[in-house]
Amino acid sequence: MFLVSCLTVEKKQYTFEFTGKDSGKLTIKYINIMSNVDSAGYTETVDFDELLSSYINGTKIEEAYPEATNISKRLFEENGVLCGEVIMEFPSLKAARLYQFDKKSPYMFYASSVDGESYVESNGTYGGDNMPVVMFPTKLKKLVVTTSVSKPTDESYVSLLGEYVKWKRN
C-alpha cells in the first residue's frame, strides 16, 4: 500500500474470511504507519497528507484491488502506534490475491519480498524463501498472514502518530 511514497509500515496483517464459495471479506491491518525522513524534502506532515489524500480519501486501495467491493478504510491508534485498516469484500479468490490450482488444492497467498514484505507468521504453511507462498487447507474459513515491511528501530523512520493526533483534534 505505501511503498510508492515515503510512507511505510512496520507490519501488515491480512485476514481472509470466507463467507461463500471463493468469496468473502479481506481485512488488511497496517501496523505502525511511519515516514522515511531520510528521503529528500519529505516530512511527516507531507507524508501524512499523502496518506489521507491518496489512501484514506483517495483511490490507491481501489486501484490495488480493482475487483473488490464495499471497501472501507480507517486510521486509529493502537498500542501507541498509528494503524490503518482496510476492509473489503471479494467476489473471487483472484480479487483477494489468493490462488487455488484446483478445488482439491490448498488456498495460496504469495508472500513475496517484491513489495518489500517479508513473511512473519500465519495459520498456514509457508514454503520458505525459495517458494514464498503460504498454503492453507481448504477446510479453513479464516486465513491469517502477517508480514514485516520496515523496522521501527531504524532512525530514518518516524511514526505518523503525532500527525494523526493533530489531525483528529481538528
Side-chain angles (χ1 to χ4, degrees):
M1 171 168 149
F2 300 119
L3 298 176
V4 292
S5 69
C6 296
L7 293 167
T8 190
V9 297
E10 180 179 351
K11 292 181 184 177
K12 290 169 70 175
Q13 183 179 60
Y14 301 86
T15 304
F16 305 87
E17 296 178 76
F18 289 98
T19 56
K21 183 178 171 134
D22 296 341
S23 64
K25 179 176 78 169
L26 167 58
T27 302
I28 306 172
K29 182 176 179 184
Y30 301 86
I31 302 165
N32 195 8
I33 302 171
M34 303 177 286
S35 175
N36 183 343
V37 294
D38 278 354
S39 299
Y42 284 91
T43 65
E44 298 96 82
T45 303
V46 170
D47 283 345
F48 188 75
D49 289 345
E50 168 78 6
L51 174 64
L52 291 176
S53 65
S54 295
Y55 297 96
I56 300 301
N57 300 321
T59 60
K60 291 282 189 183
I61 300 297
E62 290 81 355
E63 292 167 16
Y65 291 88
E67 296 177 41
T69 60
N70 298 323
I71 297 175
S72 66
K73 303 170 262 190
R74 73 180 181 114
L75 295 173
F76 59 98
E77 180 180 350
E78 184 176 87
N79 299 322
V81 298
L82 178 61
C83 295
E85 182 178 72
V86 174
I87 300 172
M88 63 189 82
E89 293 177 11
F90 58 91
S92 66
L93 295 178
K94 178 183 171 195
R97 298 185 179 174
L98 290 171
Y99 178 77
Q100 186 179 35
F101 179 72
D102 59 34
K103 294 301 170 196
K104 294 179 183 177
S105 299
Y107 296 116
M108 293 176 264
F109 176 77
Y110 185 55
S112 167
S113 60
V114 172
D115 291 330
E117 297 180 48
S118 301
Y119 174 84
V120 174
E121 64 185 359
S122 71
N123 65 337
T125 302
Y126 181 57
D129 291 338
N130 292 329
M131 182 69 159
V133 173
V134 182
M135 293 159 275
F136 301 93
T138 56
K139 68 180 180 203
L140 288 180
K141 296 298 177 204
K142 184 175 183 180
L143 320 177
V144 181
V145 178
T146 302
T147 62
S148 173
V149 180
S150 299
K151 303 285 185 224
T153 54
D154 185 337
E155 308 82 45
S156 64
Y157 296 111
V158 174
S159 172
L160 292 181
L161 180 60
E163 294 298 317
Y164 169 75
V165 169
K166 285 189 241 176
W167 176 71
K168 284 295 280 186
R169 275 191 238 144
N170 294 331

